[in-house]
Amino acid sequence: MRSSGRPSLKVLGWALFIVGMTTFFINAEALMNGKAVECDGSPMRPGQWCVRVGGESLSYDEEKKNEARGELVGYAGVGLGALGIAVFITNGITTRRGNRQR
């Protein structure tokens, strides 16, 4: 009879992969912009302010920090997704080795 591996590792792998890809796609714009600073899709220059609907306004420097934070979180998402894939692969390898020894 074939073992299906450890279910807890499968759940962990799926959770890491889903959370990782979600954080990546939410922050994909910051990753794709490079070093550009944008306000609602329009490029900003130093000294400009970004005023959004609802009255929120951010300076160029604040928006630049937000972009950098989004970029960092996006890369962390890639790392979590890769870790999830590594857990899947590890679980598969250990399952195959366990079945071979029986």
Side-chain angles (χ1 to χ4, degrees):
M1 189 164 147
R2 227 175 159 180
S3 169
S4 63
R6 295 176 60 187
S8 60
L9 284 179
K10 286 183 179 181
V11 171
L12 176 64
W14 275 112
L16 287 170
F17 183 75
I18 290 170
V19 169
M21 291 301 99
T22 301
T23 56
F24 169 76
F25 285 116
I26 288 173
N27 295 289
E29 183 181 354
L31 290 169
M32 301 306 161
N33 280 346
K35 299 299 176 193
V37 178
E38 294 182 349
C39 175
D40 294 331
S42 301
M44 288 180 71
R45 291 185 304 259
Q48 288 184 324
W49 285 81
C50 178
V51 180
R52 292 199 170 97
V53 177
E56 181 187 18
S57 61
L58 298 170
S59 70
Y60 172 85
D61 292 329
E62 292 169 329
E63 194 65 35
K64 187 174 181 178
K65 286 180 188 176
N66 286 342
E67 292 277 336
R69 188 178 316 117
E71 188 176 5
L72 181 64
V73 171
Y75 284 126
V78 171
L80 286 174
L83 185 60
I85 291 170
V87 168
F88 284 133
I89 292 170
T90 302
N91 188 38
I93 290 171
T94 56
T95 301
R96 287 187 69 186
R97 285 184 181 168
N99 288 334
R100 202 178 317 152
Q101 292 175 355
R102 289 183 185 184

